[in-house]
Amino acid sequence: MGDILLCVNIDHIATVRQARGGKEPDPLHGAVLCEQHGADGITVHLREDRRHIQDRDVRMLKEVVRGKYNLEMALSDEIVKIALEVAPHQVTLVPEKRQELTTEGGLNVKGNFDSIVRAVSLFHDRGILVSLFIEPEHEAVELSKKTGADFIELHTGVYCNAFGTPREKRELDRLLTSARAAVETGLRVNAGHGLNAENLVPVLDAEGLEELNIGHSIVSRSIFKGLPGTVRELKEVIWRHAGRKN
Ligand code: PXP
C-alpha cells in the first residue's frame, strides 16, 4: 500500500487575502510552499459566493500544482462549467449553503442522485476523477457507488468534534466501518474536515484510505509555526503511522 496523500486545502490563505481585497497572501505562493515541504497535492473550494478562492486562483493553480489538484465544488452549472474547463485531477462534490461558515454536512446523494450521475459522466468524459463528500453512513456509501463516482471523501467533522469525548469511539467506528464498506463495493477512500495532527492519528487506520484533505488546522497553525514546518509536521504523523504498521 502506498503512502496516504496529504492534500492541503489552501482556502483560508485566500480568506485572509479577501479580508483586504488585495493580493496578499497569495494562495499560489502557499501552494508552492506546501508542495515544496511535503504536501502531495492542493485542494481548493470554489464557492458560489467566491468568499475565498477566486476563479483566477483556480485557473492559475492548474499550472502551479505539481501533485494532485483537487477542486471542491457544489453541483451548480456555473461551477461545473469552470471545472470542466480547468480540468483538475479530481473534483470533490460537496453541498453548499450560502449562510454556512464551512461545509456543514455530507452530500445528500439520494436527493441529488440523477444530477450527480450526470455530473460524474461529464467529468469522466473529460478525464477528471470524481469524489463525493459524504457522511460515514452505509446508505450514502452504497448510493455513491451507484453514481459511478471514483472516490468517497468521508466527512470527519462529527468525529473531530467528538474527539476527546465519550462519543469519540462511536464516531471513529462509523468512519472505519464506512471505509471498509466503501472498499468492499470498489470505491476509493479519502477523508477530511476538522482534522489536525492529533485527531488524525486514529483515522489513519481506515481501510483503503488514500488521501486526506486538511485546511483550517494547517493554515491556523502556520500563522505561528510557518507553512513549511506545519506541513512537514503532518506528513511526519502520516509517515510515523505507516512505519508502525509496516
Ligand atoms: N474536505 C472537504 C470536502 C471540505 O469541504 C473541507 C473544508 O473546505 C475540507 C476537507 C477541509 O476541512 P478543514 O478546513 O476543516 O481541514
Side-chain angles (χ1 to χ4, degrees), residues 9 11-12 45 72 92 94 102-103 133 153 192-195 213-217:
N9 179 316
D11 290 350
H12 295 309
H45 183 174
E72 291 175 8
T92 299
V94 301
T102 179
T103 315
F133 184 56
E153 177 172 334
H193 211 283
L195 293 170
N213 286 298
I214 307 183
H216 188 266
S217 71

Side-chain angles (χ1 to χ4, degrees), residues 74-205:
L75 259 184
S76 94
D77 290 347
E78 184 216 2
I79 308 284
V80 169
K81 187 163 171 277
I82 294 170
L84 288 168
E85 275 168 35
V86 173
H89 295 114
Q90 175 178 285
V91 293
T92 299
L93 303 183
V94 301
E96 197 176 298
K97 293 190 224 106
R98 295 245 162 193
Q99 306 308 326
E100 68 190 0
L101 289 178
T102 179
T103 315
E104 280 167 2
L107 261 185
N108 175 357
V109 184
K110 195 176 189 174
N112 296 288
F113 189 80
D114 291 342
S115 39
I116 294 173
V117 170
R118 266 195 306 278
V120 168
S121 147
L122 282 175
F123 287 125
H124 280 174
D125 286 349
R126 186 85 170 91
I128 303 169
L129 293 166
V130 183
S131 177
L132 306 183
F133 184 56
I134 60 165
E135 295 297 326
E137 288 162 3
H138 187 74
E139 189 188 31
V141 172
E142 293 286 310
L143 283 170
S144 296
K145 176 65 185 166
K146 292 190 179 135
T147 64
D150 307 278
F151 285 85
I152 51 158
E153 177 172 334
L154 290 171
H155 187 332
T156 51
V158 177
Y159 154 77
C160 291
N161 288 335
F163 189 71
T165 77
R167 291 180 293 113
E168 175 184 332
K169 185 178 174 319
R170 192 181 71 206
E171 295 304 331
L172 178 65
D173 285 347
R174 289 177 64 212
L175 289 171
L176 301 184
T177 306
S178 299
R180 207 173 308 122
V183 170
E184 276 165 15
T185 66
L187 280 162
R188 300 169 71 183
V189 181
N190 300 333
H193 211 283
L195 293 170
N196 60 35
E198 286 81 43
N199 62 23
L200 164 68
V201 178
V203 176
L204 295 173
D205 283 327

Side-chain angles (χ1 to χ4, degrees), residues 43-57:
T43 295
V44 291
H45 183 174
L46 183 66
R47 295 186 69 103
E48 289 183 82
D49 62 10
R50 306 299 199 273
R51 69 173 69 158
H52 38 53
I53 291 295
Q54 306 295 306
D55 299 44
R56 176 181 183 275
D57 300 322

Side-chain angles (χ1 to χ4, degrees), residues 10 13 26-33 56-58 60-61 64:
I10 57 171
I13 298 179
D26 190 340
L28 301 177
H29 185 192
V32 172
L33 269 181
R56 176 181 183 275
D57 300 322
V58 171
M60 303 279 287
L61 281 166
V64 165

